[in-house]
Amino acid sequence: MEKIQVHDYTIFVGNIWPELKLFLETRQFEQTIVLVDDHTATHCLPVFQAALPELSFELIRVPAGEQHKNLNSCQHIWSSLFQLGAGRKAVMINLGGGVIGDMGGFCASTFKRGMSFIQIPTTLLSQVDASVGGKLGIDFLDIKNGIGVFNNPEAVFIDPVFYKTLPARELRSGYAEVIKHSLIHDPAQWESLRQYKKLEDIDWASLLVPSLKIKQHFVEKDPREKGLRKALNFGHTIGHAVEGVALNSDHPLLHGEAIAIGMVCETFLSFLQCQLPQEEVAQISRYLLGIYDHHPIDLRHFDDYLTLMKNDKKNEQGQINFSLLPKAGSVSVNQQCSTAWILQSLQYYNDLATVSVID
Ligand SMILES: NC(=O)c1ccc[n+]([C@@H]2O[C@H](COP(=O)([O-])OP(=O)(O)OC[C@H]3O[C@@H](n4cnc5c(N)ncnc54)[C@H](O)[C@@H]3O)[C@@H](O)[C@H]2O)c1
Ligand SMILES: [Zn+2]
C-alpha cells in the first residue's frame, strides 16, 4: 500500500480495503451513500460489497457515460440525497470513473453547502488524473466541465482490481493521461513508456504512483490553476474542443482519445511556438498514432472548434492559452497561438497517416 499526501487528504494506492474500512470506522459518518453508474453498479459494486460486507449504505445510481454528466443527473442525485434524509455529516462514496467522481464530488460539495465525499476511482483515467486535484463539475451547453467547483475529497482510494472488468478501449483512453504526465514532467518515464510495443505489455499498476506523483507536484504548487497547474492541460485545449464536437456526433470519442488527438496537434504547435525539435514532434506523433486510431477533423467546422477553444477555462483576456512542450519532458504554460497556427496544427494531424507499429 502506497500513500501519497496532497494538501489535507491522502491517496491510498494498492489493496485499499483494510485502509478504507479503518477510515470509515474512524470517521464515524452518520450515513454512507454510494454513487454508481449503470456499469459500475454491475462491475464495481460487487467488489466493494464483498470487501466491506458489514458496511450498510444507501445507493444512488445514474446512467453511465459522459452524456449524462449534466444537470439532469445532478438533479437526480440531489433529490435522492434529500429523499434519503442525508445530512451534512453523511459521506458520499463516488464509485466509478471520472464522470462519477467529478459529478458526485460536485453534487456532494453543493448539497446543503457541502457534505463529505470519498473518491474510489475505477478507471485508469480517473485513477491517474480525475480523482486528484479537487476539480469537480459537469458539462453544460456543450462546454466540458463548464460548471463546477474546486473542492477536495476526504480521501482517495485507488485499487487496480477494477481493471479486470474495464474495457480495453477505456484502459487505452486512460493511458493518454499517463503519456501526458510523462511528456510534461518526466523525460525518463517518457523514454520508458516509448519502449512498450503493445498495450498488453504494460503493467498498469506500476504506472499509477509515478503518474500520480506528477499530478501531485502540479496540484500542490498551484491548487486553483492560477499558473503552473495549467501544465496539466497539455493536449486539452484542442482535445476538449475535439471531444465537445464529437460528443454531439454519431461517433463520440472517449476523453483520452480526444486528448491524444489534442496532444498531436499541440505537439505541432509546440514546434511552431516553442521550438520543440522536429525529431521529437515526429516521435511523439508516431507514438500516439501507434496507439490511438486516426479520426480526421472536419475542418469545415473549424469555427465550432475555435468557439469551444475560446471557452476554455485556462484563457485570459480573451486569448486562447496553450500549455506546450519546449522539449519532451518539460512544459511552458500561457502560450498563445494565432488562429492560423491552430488551423495548421489540425491540418498536420489530418495529414498524418495511421501507423500501426509503435516506434
Ligand atoms: N477532475 C479532473 O481533474 C479530471 C481530469 C481528467 C478527466 N476528468 C473527467 O473524467 C471523465 C472521464 O473519466 P472516465 O474515462 O473514467 O469516464 P467514465 O466515468 O465515463 O468511465 C468510463 C466508462 O467505464 C465504465 N466503468 C468505470 N469503471 C469500470 C470498471 N471498473 N469496469 C467496467 N466498466 C467501468 C463507466 O461506467 C463508463 O461507461 C471526463 O468527464 C473528464 O472530464 C476530470
Ligand atoms: Zn484529461
Side-chain angles (χ1 to χ4, degrees):
M1 164 72 57
E2 288 248 19
K3 293 184 192 175
I4 301 172
Q5 193 65 27
V6 185
H7 301 293
D8 57 350
Y9 63 98
T10 305
I11 307 169
F12 299 87
V13 188
N15 173 24
I16 58 176
W17 308 108
E19 290 284 358
L20 177 58
K21 187 165 180 284
L22 186 66
F23 188 88
L24 292 171
E25 280 165 6
T26 314
R27 294 298 298 271
Q28 297 270 309
F29 295 105
E30 220 168 63
Q31 189 182 22
T32 303
I33 293 134
V34 177
L35 177 70
V36 288
D37 67 28
D38 288 340
H39 299 151
T40 61
T42 307
H43 299 296
C44 308
L45 192 58
V47 179
F48 176 88
Q49 279 175 303
L52 301 171
E54 274 136 42
L55 181 72
S56 68
F57 61 88
E58 308 288 346
L59 194 68
I60 303 179
R61 182 171 169 152
V62 292
E66 184 73 31
Q67 68 278 24
H68 297 288
K69 190 183 174 184
N70 59 23
L71 262 186
N72 273 348
S73 303
C74 290
Q75 215 161 338
H76 171 67
I77 296 167
W78 286 318
S79 326
S80 305
L81 287 170
F82 278 112
Q83 275 158 20
L84 292 169
R88 274 197 196 151
K89 291 190 176 150
V91 67
M92 185 143 95
I93 299 182
N94 298 316
L95 182 65
V99 168
I100 286 296
D102 280 13
M103 184 162 64
F106 173 66
C107 287
S109 301
T110 44
F111 178 74
K112 297 188 176 172
R113 297 204 181 88
M115 65 185 276
S116 299
F117 65 99
I118 289 171
Q119 305 292 45
I120 307 186
T122 60
T123 62
L124 176 63
L125 190 137
S126 57
Q127 294 192 344
V128 295
D129 196 358
S131 62
V132 180
K135 280 193 190 178
L136 308 167
I138 53 165
D139 303 334
F140 191 69
L141 298 178
D142 286 348
I143 299 160
K144 282 271 308 162
N145 305 320
I147 302 289
V149 294
F150 281 99
N151 194 21
N152 288 331
E154 300 299 311
V156 183
F157 292 88
I158 295 180
D159 196 322
V161 68
F162 294 113
Y163 306 156
K164 283 187 194 152
T165 54
L166 194 63
R169 187 177 168 198
E170 296 291 347
L171 264 175
R172 174 177 294 131
S173 169
Y175 186 49
E177 304 285 5
V178 177
I179 297 172
K180 177 196 77 181
H181 284 157
S182 74
L183 280 173
I184 61 172
H185 195 62
D186 191 343
Q189 203 205 12
W190 164 237
E191 276 311 310
S192 75
L193 293 184
R194 290 203 319 111
Q195 307 313 314
Y196 290 121
K197 301 291 176 211
K198 311 198 280 299
L199 290 191
E200 296 78 51
D201 295 342
I202 298 178
D203 172 13
W204 299 106
S206 73
L207 298 179
L208 285 174
V209 170
S211 215
L212 281 162
K213 285 195 169 154
I214 296 175
K215 176 115 194 199
Q216 172 206 33
H217 166 83
F218 288 105
V219 164
E220 285 234 297
K221 291 221 156 64
D222 177 18
R224 294 261 163 169
E225 201 171 69
K226 301 267 189 267
L228 189 69
R229 182 174 173 170
K230 293 181 185 177
L232 293 164
N233 287 300
F234 169 63
H236 283 62
T237 309
I238 294 178
H240 272 159
V242 168
E243 188 178 11
V245 172
L247 196 58
N248 290 324
S249 76
D250 297 337
H251 306 287
L253 292 171
L254 298 183
H255 179 72
E257 293 169 341
I259 294 321
I261 297 174
M263 285 196 284
V264 174
C265 299
E266 295 183 23
T267 293
F268 187 73
L269 285 178
S270 301
F271 161 69
L272 294 175
Q273 172 92 2
C274 302
Q275 292 77 50
L276 176 69
Q278 229 163 345
E279 316 84 77
E280 295 198 350
V281 176
Q283 214 169 51
I284 297 167
S285 307
R286 249 202 323 270
Y287 186 69
L288 288 167
L289 281 165
I291 297 172
Y292 299 94
D293 290 344
H294 190 265
H295 296 275
I297 297 169
D298 187 348
L299 296 177
R300 287 171 306 178
H301 300 301
F302 182 58
D303 284 351
D304 296 344
Y305 290 100
L306 216 51
T307 305
L308 289 172
M309 286 178 222
K310 285 183 179 150
N311 278 319
D312 193 280
K313 295 175 288 302
K314 296 183 301 302
N315 295 341
E316 284 165 22
Q317 286 143 14
Q319 293 276 6
I320 301 175
N321 263 340
F322 290 89
S323 303
L324 300 176
L325 310 174
K327 57 186 179 31
S330 73
V331 68
S332 280
V333 300
N334 291 337
Q335 296 295 319
Q336 282 136 25
C337 301
S338 66
T339 306
W341 276 8
I342 298 172
L343 178 61
Q344 225 179 310
S345 78
L346 302 185
Q347 266 156 351
Y348 166 77
Y349 173 77
N350 276 355
D351 291 344
L352 289 171
T354 309
V355 286
S356 56
V357 183
I358 297 174
D359 179 29

